[in-house]
Amino acid sequence: MSDTQQSETTDATQSLYAKHKVIHPRSTSGFFTNLRRLAVISLLGLYYVVPWLMWDGRQAVLFDLPERKFYIFGLVFWPQDAIYLTFLLSIAAFALFFFTTLAGRLWCGFACPQTVWTEIFIWMERWVEGDRPQQLKLEKMSMNAYKLRIKLTKHLLWIAFSLWTGYTFVGYFTPIHVLTQEIFILKTSGWETFWVLFYSFATYGNAGWLREQICIYMCPYARFQGAMFDRDTFLVAYDEKRGEPRGARKRNEIKKLGDCVDCGLCVQVCPTGIDIRNGQQYQCITCTACIDACDEVMVKLNRPKGLVGYTTENTLEGKTTHVLRPRILIYSALLLFFMVAMGYLLSQRIPLSLEIVRDRNMLFRETNEGWIENVYTVKILNMDQKDHTYKIEVEGIEGLKLELNKQDLKVPTGKVLDVPLSLQADPAKLTKKSMNISISAQAVDNPSIQTLRDSRFVGPTKN
Ligand code: SF4
Ligand code: SF4
């Protein structure tokens, strides 16, 4: 290969790689900034406070994986309750579809953990290094004692916050009071140590270093959310008709220019480093920072706000925006359906599970009195938060006799009791070889806790 060819190949290879530029977004103030602050503070507040809440003498929200129990305030969920998880995931999916179609990437800009933690890390960065101009100055400075001290302070702050985040995360799976004591006496288990460090490292890496790269290169949602948009979806957009031709001008200078003074503030505040004036881009996470930045400029220029606004493509084109449209109605109907269904199921939920297992070794046996006997094992799982004593009843065949080889059916909370059960029927009452029966269990101290299972009673073939 000739030198020229080689150099062309190298150039081509190099052009495929864009060196990552660190983004130093300028701070903003205004209506949308306040909304974002409110969202960040409430969501992070919830995350850090919830594991400390108590309910009935235990941690209010605890995902106890070894015991396979999820405590959520007054409710305890078991693996048998997987149906609720299905409903929860369906609600989350349809809520995402509904809000994205209606209001764009609200999730990305205001509620996604990546955005929320990045925002906190940016606040800490500004607190230590100053706003964008100071950060850029510091970036250009060669390493000296001052720069080292500032950078070290920032990273120590980030690491401390990340460790607190990792510790809180594990506090959702190990009772946080126990975890705190274990940390103080350096007695955490291997898994607890691993997850605290792993989650801390992920927080530090994602919110401190990777930031917008997660949204731009790694998040799949950024790629497919466009499919949910239509011309009536609210999004952050630049009003090109009003803004162009853009250009700098002196105050009160009359030029045939649009409202955009090309100050570049909307670009400087953007956490993903894009220029919203170039149209819709998948990198835009709808953080709305550019709206506040541009509004401030417009106020100073005595021009109406909203050159960069939260609007729809139809509005920008002077057409009517339709909020109620078929997609919105279908998504909201499905969302409502899943929410009502889940609410109903939860209100009907009985903290008791009953399983009936027939004895596989013997279909039936004839007793000395000439009655037909079938043997079962009854498994009672007490899913309530209190101990209960249960009574077992059976119906389906006239005169069916029930014999339990255990009189006291007391089951502590969260435990399973296996009880052998024998049923005896008068052969004269057996109209078929195999008859349906129902076996029920009921808490003696709370009759509303009861459940019923169907089974079969097998007898000899009738001639
Ligand atoms: S373009 Fe505006 S709304 Fe989109 S990410 Fe940048 S600052 Fe946020
Ligand atoms: S902030 Fe507004 S005026 Fe300034 S460049 Fe952006 S769109 Fe133009």
Side-chain angles (χ1 to χ4, degrees), residues 114 117-119 121-122 158 202-211:
Q114 176 62 24
W117 263 285
T118 301
E119 190 85 9
F121 273 54
I122 288 177
W158 280 359
T203 308
Y204 175 68
N206 291 349
W209 291 91
L210 294 174
R211 294 190 180 176

Side-chain angles (χ1 to χ4, degrees), residues 153-266:
T153 311
K154 178 180 84 174
H155 284 281
L156 285 177
L157 211 58
W158 280 359
I159 291 170
F161 196 79
S162 303
L163 284 169
W164 182 29
T165 306
Y167 150 74
T168 305
F169 174 75
V170 175
Y172 279 92
F173 299 90
T174 296
I176 201 155
H177 290 97
V178 176
L179 181 69
T180 311
Q181 285 166 11
E182 287 176 355
I183 288 176
F184 274 110
I185 56 170
L186 301 177
K187 280 265 163 38
T188 48
S189 71
W191 279 114
E192 285 165 352
T193 313
F194 169 79
W195 281 110
V196 168
L197 294 179
F198 179 81
Y199 206 80
S200 307
F201 178 72
T203 308
Y204 175 68
N206 291 349
W209 291 91
L210 294 174
R211 294 190 180 176
E212 79 289 347
Q213 297 184 73
I214 299 277
C215 312
I216 298 175
Y217 303 113
M218 298 182 202
C219 176
Y221 177 57
R223 306 282 162 166
F224 74 77
Q225 45 85 28
M228 286 177 250
F229 284 15
D230 55 32
R231 304 189 75 75
D232 289 311
T233 300
F234 281 84
L235 33 81
V236 177
Y238 167 68
D239 188 345
E240 204 178 321
K241 279 190 201 150
R242 187 185 141 188
E244 301 295 320
R246 67 184 80 160
R249 73 214 67 178
K250 293 206 180 89
R251 196 183 277 261
N252 299 329
E253 185 185 2
I254 300 175
K255 270 191 184 178
K256 283 203 172 159
L257 290 175
D259 277 353
C260 174
V261 291
D262 207 12
C263 62
L265 280 179
C266 52

Side-chain angles (χ1 to χ4, degrees), residues 36 79 94 115 224 260-261 269 301 362:
R36 210 168 47 253
F94 284 110
T115 309
F224 74 77
C260 174
V261 291
V269 297
L301 294 173
M362 178 188 71

